[in-house]
Amino acid sequence: MDTYELIRSRRKTLALELTREGQLIVRAPLRISRREIDAFVEKHKDWIVRHLAKQAARPTLPPPDAPETQALKTQAQAILPEKVAHWSSIMEVHPTGLRITTARKRYGSCSSKGSLCFSCYLMCCPEEAVELVVVHELCHLREMNHGPGFYALLERYLPDWKERKKLLN
């Protein structure tokens, strides 16, 4: 990589970051030489190229206020409450609320108060992946972490969850 943005701070290690726009940012300690930074970037060139290719392969999402996004939100509002109700009864859990958002970095979340949140962009995924996200978030109503108990619970309801997860990437 020939060009990158360098951010120096009182950190102890070097780190690479790729923005959504494909810009490389190098975070570095204050006193490290430019030559060491360039060598670090060169050493991680394969990682950079691999992750840039992954980013390029991802579908671009419409802006949050675009008609396409509103259509996805409407679709999510029609589909997700039914899926949540279905799986809630099977799993014997009861979420306190359900919201549909335009979140771009995560498909779902569960608050500490038991409220579920899903991104409308989840509607761009296959149905098996949508079910995985719903069950994943419902599992958090029993296990509020990603420890062994959480994955045992997920495995109990969706034994093929690892295959389904591949559909999200």
Side-chain angles (χ1 to χ4, degrees), residues 42-102:
E42 186 61 35
K43 179 180 173 188
H44 291 86
K45 201 172 202 167
D46 289 344
W47 179 91
I48 296 164
V49 169
R50 199 169 55 249
H51 281 79
L52 283 172
K54 266 189 193 177
Q55 273 188 348
R58 279 192 199 128
T60 56
L61 301 175
D65 56 350
E68 299 95 334
T69 299
Q70 190 53 49
L72 289 172
K73 221 173 174 180
T74 302
Q75 184 183 2
Q77 288 165 339
I79 292 171
L80 291 175
E82 188 178 305
K83 284 201 181 298
V84 168
H86 170 77
W87 281 100
S88 291
S89 67
I90 291 171
M91 298 171 69
E92 298 177 346
V93 293
H94 307 286
T96 59
L98 177 93
R99 284 185 35 230
I100 308 297
T101 69
T102 56

Side-chain angles (χ1 to χ4, degrees), residues 6 28 38 46 57 60 64 70 74 77 93 96-97 121 132 154 156 163 167:
L6 177 60
D38 288 340
D46 289 344
T60 56
Q70 190 53 49
T74 302
Q77 288 165 339
V93 293
T96 59
Y121 298 113
L132 168 62
L154 185 59
R156 178 173 155 198
E163 291 305 309
L167 299 172

Side-chain angles (χ1 to χ4, degrees), residues 124-141:
C124 297
C125 298
E127 180 154 352
E128 295 86 0
V130 173
E131 271 191 343
L132 168 62
V133 173
V134 168
V135 173
H136 178 109
E137 298 312 329
L138 288 170
C139 284
H140 281 308
L141 296 176

